[in-house]
Amino acid sequence: MIDREEILARIGAADDAASLEALRVENLGKQGKVTQLLKTLGKMSPDERKTEGPKIHALREAVQGALDARKAELDRAELEARLKTETLDLSLPTPAAPQGSIHPVSQVMDELAEIFADLGFAVAEGPEIEDDWHNFGALNIPEAHPARAMQDTFYIAQGDNEEGAPQVLRTHTSPVQIRTMMRDKPPLRIIAPGRVYRSDSDATHTPMFHQVEGLVIDRNIHLGHLKWTLETFLKAFFERDDVELRLRPSYFPFTEPSAEVDVGYSIENGRPVIGGRENWMEVLGSGMVHPKVIANCGLDPDEWQGFAFGCGIDRLAMLKYGMDDLRAFFDADLRWLRHYGFSFLDTPTLSAGVGA
Amino acid sequence: MKFSLEWLKQFLDTDASVSDLADAMTAIGLEIEGVEDPADRLEGFSVAKVLTAAPHPDADKLQVLTVDTGDGKPLQVVCGAPNARAGMKGVLGQPGATVPANGMVLKKAAIRGVESNGMMCSTRELELGDDHDGIIELPEDAPVGASFADYSGASPVFDVFITPDRADCMGVMGIARDLAAAGLGTFKPVEVPTIETDGSCPVEIRTDDSEGCPAFYARVITGVKNGASPEWMQRRLIAAGQRPISALVDCTNYLMLSTGRPAHVYDLNKLSGPVVARRAKAGEKVLALNEKEYELDESMTVIADDKGAHDIGGIMGGEHSGADEASTDVLLEIAYFDPDRIAKTGQKLMLSSDARTRFERGVDPAFMDDGLALLTDLIVKTCGGTPSEVTRAGTPPMERPTITFDWNRTAALGGIEVPRERQVEILESLGFTVEGDDVTAPTWRHDIEGPADLVEEVARIVGFDQVPSTPLPRPDGVAHPTATRSQVVERRLRRAAAARGFNEAITWSFIPTSQADLFGGAPNLVANPISEDMKAMRPSLLPGLAAAARRNLDRGASSVRLFEVGRRYLAEGEKPTAALLMAGERSARDWDVGKATGFTAFDAKAEALALLEAAGAPTDNLQLFMDAGETWHPGRSAKLGLGPKKILAAFGEPHPELARALDLPKGTVVAEIFLDQIPQPKKTERARTPYAPPALQAVSRDFAFIVPNDLPADQLVRAIRGADKKAIVDARIFDRYEGNDALSLAVEVTLQPEAKSFTEEELSAISKKIVEAAVKKGATLRG
């Protein structure tokens, strides 16, 4: 008779896959002991088979079970032994991906486009090398007018365009107003961001900088709409509800009435923080488009009126994001670009916010 | 424009505080740039009497004074002024006071061993004048102990920015009128004196240039004695930032600052013959009061006599004919000059002056006689003399347009409801004449042309802060997209570049001409650049990025990945362009990978393609053309396009000579994307085509060819793809081996069966076509 306990004990003590396989062959192989026992069943009488059958089958199952269990144990031990050898020092650094960035001026332009899109303003563009009619004449700045001296102008040396008009680097984005009014039919709502140039260079002025122009032309637009638009825009841009504006009567040849716009701020930790009415700083020039300008564009000033405003983008960026030197904007110092720049993921949206 | 409160009060009866006045000026469009109270600066300085003066024991030039400060306890003060003496009264600064001229805080000190408890001050030290020869001597009746600020009548000074449209506010009187209209007091117009005259003007006055100088009034005063102007006048002039010169000059300056009316005083004895306003002769020269000589042309107006031109009319007097200390007989000139001509002359000569500033903005043509009377009165009162009658040549243009005003415009344009009566009241208080709906501007306002100007007058006096914010009408529904296709392209391209590790730069649009010349020159040069380095409008973005890369490398950056989106300024227009530059290390040395690696032209290609893809270009259809042009390395650069005439991008290594000229390190690669060349995608439906994956799996077959050394891999791949356009869905180089005498390229071809799997026969037929196509390119199948 087979000693079941002995077999199970030997299986349990097998210490590698080979000896376990030998025990399987010894017991469950074609000539194995248990196999031999199974073969005896065929020769038994039905009664004998009824009593012996279950026992022999139980023995086979026990042996098979013991083999399987031992195999699993051995596999686990082997895996554990292998895992002990498989270590990585994951504190080692991975290759650093280069850190790209969006320039603050581009970011702020995207913010402006998003805010004004909600107010129904499209983004318009125009040339930076302008003829002096678009830059001055159409804007009611005649040649001898002292206002021309207000904006130190770069002239293009090769001079005149095909029509013989002197060429200048645009001193403001206002010529885009003219081009828009001449090209499109009112009602109009546009902003026009872009590079502008003035012959000026010191700590707070660079010969090239960025402006955004706003223009609304319709039948019943008045100064109150201008005020609301600027308040709404600046509140959205600075992401504060306590933004306060002060409109001061001023003079621009292309608007009448004209207003300079101050925004209230306070000094916190040595920095200007927009909000409240403690101090004022000038951020915008604006006004109702001068009837002559509207007429210069071929529109009837008795039918159409509206407002325009212009604002430095670099300055908006500085006020919102805290840079203090305009010149650094155009130096392309990688350290500055990474410090003040924006992730490509910081796309301004109304739902996620226009600031980053 | 600077003026003191006491001067303002000559024209404005008001109890308003300094800050209320300042706020009101800003609110009505006279922007306050600063308010300074000299009393603040003179704090700690008081009237004192010198009781005794004795020589300093150890210094020849010093004296030891005892000074009565009014509190009965005389102080000892060491003083170096030669005029310090017992019995005189002066100004004492006590310890703690700050000397205005140099910011020094006074303290008790020992001077050469003698204690000194303050300083007796000179005019210059208190910034009241230039005199520094001795200490200030005050009159006998000066009250000892009084604060010097009070004693000297120091008055707060307003500094106001006057916009170019408001010449009328370039005199204190005009500012007072505006403030009165805004409810800050009662306007007191200047009182014009009646002048006692003796005889007609002995000098003939003419204007031969009625366009440039339509009116020229004058009179002579004989027997004047020029000297220092009176103290009250000097005080006002100093407050206004003017240096007192002599009584005659000060009187004209005073008239100008007070009423906005420039005038000029000639020494009659330096003139000969009639005094005439005429056009300058071409090349005529004038030595002006600033001691510079100006060469004039025929568009300019001069005041001349028989000897020649003396005066650049309305801009600056002449050095040889002006009144000076010795003048006894003078000719006063009050003229009206055409604003446009003054502006043009001033611009041409690049000559600014207070007179030009006022004339080019437009003075009050109705104020010529009054101005002349006021000036005469000032001179006679200060310098004595006998005035002649006035002689007048020409008449100034006095017409002002009458505007028929729809009073509702104030609400319709200004956004503020103001009752008609109030509007009329405001306009009249500003000097406008209102008759029914007809409004006429006063002669001193040159800026009123139409209804919009009247709206501004009413709105600014009521206050822009009273204009209610009114929401813009909002179209129904969610805001519509507003960005144009090219704007979207730029935004996507920027963010794609940043995502790929590039830092966006903004560099100057102008570059040195020498750098522009490397790119064939700049068609647009700035005529008046800030510097020669900012002269050429860039024909390429690369010089700006190269300079930026160089700066960063010099600052120690090891790896530079920069891009810029901006315009190139070409003869045919402004071209929106994106440029990328890679320099230094592509990857740093690394424990895993090994040594640092550099950039190759393939990096530039990868970036160009990625950005073109982001920009929506049809990158699958792009052809590659080797050698991107003269500025590129001929063998390591290429263009990508939809044909040789439709180039979307260029990339690779810059030409070594260009790299040297731009001081770029070896291993720099660049790419340019020509944004205006990217075709608009065909308008597509939002819905995609139905999803229909192939039923059967694709199979792949590898082919290895020996190819001619100069065969671009791209051509082999294109040939293979074209061999069976239906079955072949992809072909890709996966191996390249450059042997001693042959180049081997291995291609993995992906074949997509349709309804049925390929049979062996079909597969060998396709293979045959592939090999044939390759053979046509000079390839042979490797055995």
Side-chain angles (χ1 to χ4, degrees):
Chain A
M1 194 53 208
I2 289 169
D3 185 341
R4 170 191 170 108
E5 295 312 315
E6 188 214 330
I7 292 171
L8 294 184
R10 283 175 63 202
I11 290 172
D15 55 6
D16 59 25
S19 40
L20 198 63
E21 177 62 8
L23 284 165
R24 187 191 68 78
V25 171
E26 182 184 325
N27 293 289
L28 299 179
K30 275 187 184 162
Q31 303 303 320
K33 294 174 189 169
V34 179
T35 311
Q36 295 300 326
L37 269 182
L38 282 165
K39 284 180 181 166
T40 61
L41 283 174
K43 295 167 193 157
M44 286 181 191
S45 68
D47 286 350
E48 212 178 353
R49 198 182 296 142
K50 215 174 199 169
T51 56
E52 288 304 308
K55 286 187 200 161
I56 294 169
H57 278 294
L59 175 63
R60 186 189 63 83
E61 277 166 27
V63 171
Q64 184 64 54
L67 284 168
D68 290 347
R70 186 59 188 157
K71 177 154 193 330
E73 274 173 37
L74 287 175
D75 284 352
R76 197 177 311 122
E78 190 193 322
L79 179 63
E80 270 167 24
R82 198 180 85 221
L83 289 181
K84 283 202 178 118
T85 69
E86 291 179 352
T87 61
L88 292 175
D89 178 2
L90 290 175
S91 70
L92 283 165
T94 54
Q99 291 297 302
S101 59
I102 298 287
H103 195 285
V105 167
S106 301
Q107 181 74 17
V108 168
M109 283 189 184
D110 284 356
E111 294 180 13
L112 296 174
E114 194 67 12
I115 291 168
F116 278 102
D118 188 53
L119 302 177
F121 287 63
V123 178
E125 290 162 16
E128 294 167 20
I129 300 176
E130 267 292 6
D131 57 68
D132 86 335
W133 187 79
H134 282 95
N135 194 71
F136 292 121
L139 288 158
N140 195 30
I141 315 175
E143 203 180 321
H145 199 282
R148 281 211 186 183
M150 289 164 81
Q151 303 179 354
D152 298 320
T153 311
F154 286 119
Y155 288 86
I156 292 295
Q158 277 82 341
D160 309 347
N161 68 5
E162 296 105 52
E163 289 88 48
Q167 301 277 97
V168 301
L169 294 185
R170 66 176 179 193
T171 56
H172 45 191
T173 40
S174 307
V176 185
Q177 280 183 34
I178 303 298
R179 292 183 176 276
T180 304
M181 280 191 273
M182 296 184 77
R183 186 185 55 231
D184 301 336
K185 273 198 168 143
L188 298 169
R189 290 186 192 186
I190 56 137
I191 58 167
R195 292 186 181 203
V196 298
Y197 305 87
R198 289 186 199 173
S199 176
D200 213 349
S201 188
D202 59 42
T204 52
H205 297 90
T206 48
M208 176 185 96
F209 58 103
H210 297 82
Q211 246 190 10
V212 62
E213 190 83 6
L215 174 73
V216 172
I217 296 290
D218 207 329
R219 287 191 169 84
N220 300 307
I221 297 297
H222 57 63
L223 198 61
H225 293 114
L226 168 63
K227 202 170 176 181
W228 178 85
T229 303
L230 295 178
E231 282 167 358
T232 304
F233 148 51
L234 290 171
K235 280 179 184 172
F237 179 75
F238 288 111
E239 302 171 288
R240 294 178 71 120
D241 289 331
D242 66 344
V243 171
E244 296 272 356
L245 295 191
R246 185 173 78 169
L247 269 64
R248 279 184 289 107
S250 187
Y251 168 73
F252 305 106
F254 33 95
T255 49
E256 189 73 37
S258 302
E260 281 188 328
V261 181
D262 299 337
V263 63
Y265 71 99
S266 57
I267 298 286
E268 285 171 27
N269 301 320
R271 260 200 180 146
V273 175
I274 300 297
R277 312 177 60 90
E278 203 176 310
N279 308 290
W280 298 101
M281 73 169 93
E282 189 188 320
V283 289
L284 271 161
S286 67
M288 303 307 298
V289 181
H290 199 292
K292 284 187 181 172
V293 174
I294 291 178
N296 285 342
C297 297
L299 300 175
D300 178 1
D302 290 332
E303 181 179 8
W304 300 106
Q305 65 185 46
F307 64 76
F309 61 87
C311 180
I313 293 176
D314 321 78
R315 196 164 145 68
L316 284 178
M318 290 167 86
L319 284 173
K320 182 166 179 177
Y321 293 111
M323 307 80 160
D324 56 7
D325 185 359
L326 179 60
R327 288 171 296 193
F329 277 63
F330 310 117
D331 188 54
D333 187 330
L334 286 167
R335 298 165 301 181
W336 189 93
L337 294 175
R338 291 185 185 119
H339 185 84
Y340 286 114
F342 294 83
S343 158
F344 69 97
L345 290 170
D346 294 333
T347 308
T349 63
L350 289 181
S351 60
V354 293
Chain B
M1 158 112 194
K2 286 169 83 175
F3 57 92
S4 57
L5 175 62
E6 56 97 14
W7 199 346
L8 178 67
K9 283 188 171 178
Q10 179 188 339
F11 299 106
L12 184 70
D13 195 357
T14 184
D15 297 324
S17 69
V18 169
S19 67
D20 284 349
L21 287 168
D23 288 349
M25 282 188 251
T26 294
I28 59 178
L30 307 171
E31 186 188 353
I32 288 284
E33 295 196 310
V35 179
E36 195 182 292
D37 192 343
D40 297 340
R41 291 152 46 81
L42 293 173
E43 198 171 339
F45 294 90
S46 58
V47 177
K49 181 172 183 178
V50 180
L51 299 175
T52 64
H56 190 287
D58 286 330
D60 291 346
K61 291 190 174 165
L62 297 180
Q63 297 187 77
V64 181
L65 315 178
T66 51
V67 179
D68 177 10
T69 62
D71 64 358
K73 284 178 271 180
L75 289 176
Q76 178 173 295
V77 172
V78 176
C79 179
N83 64 335
R85 61 189 187 277
M88 74 174 288
K89 285 182 177 172
V91 183
L92 174 71
Q94 295 199 35
T98 305
V99 180
N102 55 21
M104 187 176 83
V105 179
L106 298 176
K107 54 187 183 214
K108 195 183 274 195
I111 299 177
R112 294 252 182 140
V114 176
E115 187 183 278
S116 182
N117 294 292
M119 183 171 89
M120 296 298 288
C121 302
S122 70
T123 311
R124 194 201 288 173
E125 280 157 347
L126 297 184
E127 288 192 322
L128 301 173
D130 286 336
D131 186 12
H132 194 55
D133 294 337
I135 55 175
I136 297 173
E137 294 199 38
L138 297 178
E140 278 297 311
D141 60 357
V144 172
S147 112
F148 181 63
D150 290 348
Y151 172 74
S152 62
S155 176
V157 174
F158 301 96
D159 189 355
V160 182
F161 175 76
I162 305 296
T163 51
D165 56 330
R166 294 302 304 277
D168 63 305
C169 285
M170 304 205 76
V172 181
M173 183 167 75
I175 289 174
R177 186 189 292 114
D178 256 35
L179 280 169
L184 271 285
T186 310
F187 179 52
K188 297 189 288 180
V190 67
E191 286 168 30
V192 181
T194 312
I195 304 296
E196 300 278 332
T197 60
D198 182 17
S200 58
C201 182
V203 180
E204 186 194 341
I205 299 296
R206 268 198 341 257
T207 171
D208 292 350
D209 176 15
S210 58
E211 199 186 322
C213 178
F216 183 178
Y217 296 1
R219 85 157 19 114
V220 158
I221 308 179
T222 50
V224 299
K225 187 177 178 304
N226 197 6
S229 53
E231 190 273 335
W232 65 266
M233 188 185 285
Q234 292 204 10
R235 195 170 62 224
R236 285 184 175 182
L237 290 175
I238 289 168
Q242 290 270 352
R243 196 165 54 91
I245 295 165
S246 71
L248 290 171
V249 175
D250 292 355
C251 285
T252 56
N253 284 335
Y254 182 81
L255 176 75
M256 178 181 72
L257 295 170
S258 196
T259 66
R261 199 347 139 172
H264 188 61
V265 179
Y266 296 90
D267 186 330
L268 190 59
N269 299 320
K270 295 177 186 168
L271 300 172
S272 58
V275 178
V276 181
R278 63 160 168 84
R279 290 293 175 91
K281 297 169 190 136
E284 190 166 11
K285 287 179 180 145
V286 166
L287 183 64
L289 271 173
N290 60 4
E291 294 172 4
K292 286 185 188 155
E293 189 174 69
Y294 291 90
E295 186 173 325
L296 310 181
D297 67 34
E298 287 159 325
S299 71
M300 303 172 180
T301 305
V302 293
I303 308 294
D305 64 3
D306 286 349
K307 284 185 284 189
H310 289 290
D311 219 69
I312 307 171
I315 298 184
M316 197 170 277
E319 176 71 10
H320 297 311
S321 57
D324 59 28
E325 301 290 328
S327 302
T328 54
D329 303 328
V330 293
L331 176 76
L332 313 191
E333 166 208 309
I334 293 263
Y336 187 90
F337 295 98
D338 178 66
D340 269 12
R341 293 198 155 277
I342 293 291
K344 283 178 181 149
T345 300
Q347 283 165 9
K348 272 191 204 166
L349 299 177
M350 290 193 288
L351 177 56
S352 320
S353 70
D354 288 331
R356 171 187 164 188
T357 307
R358 285 165 179 81
F359 280 124
E360 73 183 356
R361 287 158 171 78
V363 299
D364 181 359
F367 197 71
M368 294 183 61
D369 277 309
D370 289 353
L372 191 49
L374 285 165
L375 180 61
T376 308
D377 185 55
L378 285 170
I379 291 176
V380 169
K381 280 186 176 144
T382 18
C383 308
T386 312
S388 75
E389 283 166 14
V390 175
T391 177
R392 300 179 183 83
T395 44
M398 304 270 260
E399 309 75 44
R400 289 287 175 268
T402 293
I403 300 158
T404 305
F405 190 46
D406 171 3
W407 304 90
N408 296 319
R409 286 299 290 159
T410 302
L413 187 67
I416 183 168
E417 297 282 353
V418 182
R420 177 179 171 153
E421 309 77 65
R422 176 73 184 126
Q423 297 191 44
V424 171
E425 184 187 27
I426 288 170
L427 291 173
E428 287 181 340
S429 68
L430 290 168
F432 289 76
T433 311
V434 182
E435 284 172 24
D437 292 340
D438 288 341
V439 181
T440 310
T443 49
W444 57 82
R445 293 296 296 268
H446 292 252
D447 59 319
I448 305 296
E449 297 173 324
D453 301 290
L454 301 180
V455 170
E456 178 171 74
E457 293 304 300
V458 172
R460 76 182 174 93
I461 296 298
V462 172
F464 282 5
D465 57 333
Q466 300 298 309
V467 176
S469 284
T470 313
L472 277 181
R474 193 185 168 96
D476 203 21
V478 170
H480 288 281
T482 55
T484 62
R485 166 73 196 157
S486 62
Q487 288 158 3
V488 172
V489 163
E490 284 193 18
R491 286 185 205 170
R492 289 174 59 95
L493 193 137
R494 268 196 187 95
R495 292 191 184 269
R500 297 178 65 84
F502 284 78
N503 300 102
E504 187 187 8
I506 295 180
T507 69
W508 303 118
S509 300
F510 11 61
I511 59 174
T513 313
S514 58
Q515 292 188 355
D517 289 344
L518 302 170
F519 294 86
N524 298 291
L525 295 176
V526 178
N528 53 335
I530 291 253
S531 77
E532 284 301 303
D533 283 349
M534 298 176 132
K535 189 172 172 62
M537 295 304 287
R538 61 185 183 191
S540 164
L541 272 55
L542 294 181
L545 288 181
R550 175 41 67 198
R551 286 195 298 275
N552 278 294
L553 293 166
D554 289 347
R555 285 179 192 129
S558 56
S559 177
V560 174
R561 288 175 171 87
L562 283 171
F563 77 101
E564 180 169 9
V565 180
R567 299 180 185 183
R568 290 174 298 140
Y569 307 87
L570 306 182
E572 62 268 32
E574 298 171 23
K575 301 292 179 188
T577 309
L580 303 102
L581 182 146
M582 291 154 260
E585 293 176 352
R586 178 186 196 273
S587 60
R589 62 183 173 167
D590 187 79
W591 63 270
D592 191 18
V593 184
K595 284 184 183 167
T597 59
F599 292 103
T600 71
F602 288 103
D603 293 308
K605 180 179 182 182
E607 298 306 333
L609 284 170
L611 296 193
L612 282 170
E613 179 78 36
T619 44
D620 287 345
N621 303 335
L622 288 178
Q623 285 172 266
L624 184 135
F625 305 94
M626 281 302 292
D627 187 0
E630 285 178 2
T631 58
W632 300 84
H633 187 302
R636 294 184 184 171
S637 70
K639 294 181 279 195
L640 291 165
L642 294 164
K645 293 257 159 86
K646 185 79 175 167
I647 299 300
L648 273 55
F651 66 87
E653 290 184 19
H655 195 286
E657 284 176 4
L658 179 78
R660 197 179 61 225
L662 295 179
D663 195 17
L664 282 169
K666 203 168 179 305
T668 299
V669 296
V670 295
E672 280 182 295
I673 294 168
F674 310 116
L675 299 175
D676 56 330
Q677 295 298 310
I678 298 175
Q680 290 259 0
K682 291 187 190 88
K683 187 115 181 149
T684 49
E685 283 279 321
R686 287 295 189 207
R688 310 295 200 265
T689 53
Y691 177 59
L696 299 171
Q697 251 186 314
V699 293
S700 85
R701 289 287 182 275
D702 293 348
F703 298 85
F705 296 102
I706 305 288
V707 301
N709 276 313
D710 59 353
L711 178 72
D714 182 54
Q715 284 197 21
L716 178 69
V717 169
R718 280 176 179 272
I720 290 172
R721 282 195 191 185
D724 184 336
K725 284 182 179 158
K726 206 166 148 197
I728 299 173
V729 293
D730 195 16
R732 188 176 69 87
I733 304 275
F734 70 90
D735 191 35
R736 181 178 189 275
Y737 176 73
E738 218 168 325
N740 286 334
D741 46 15
L743 174 62
S744 157
L745 292 174
V747 185
E748 177 185 300
V749 180
T750 305
L751 305 169
Q752 179 61 56
E754 290 188 320
K756 285 187 305 185
S757 297
F758 293 115
T759 63
E760 278 307 314
E761 291 75 37
E762 284 167 340
L763 283 177
S764 54
I766 294 169
S767 295
K768 203 176 155 209
K769 282 196 260 181
I770 288 171
V771 174
E772 280 168 5
V775 166
K776 277 189 191 153
K777 293 284 169 191
T780 48
L781 190 66
R782 225 165 76 184

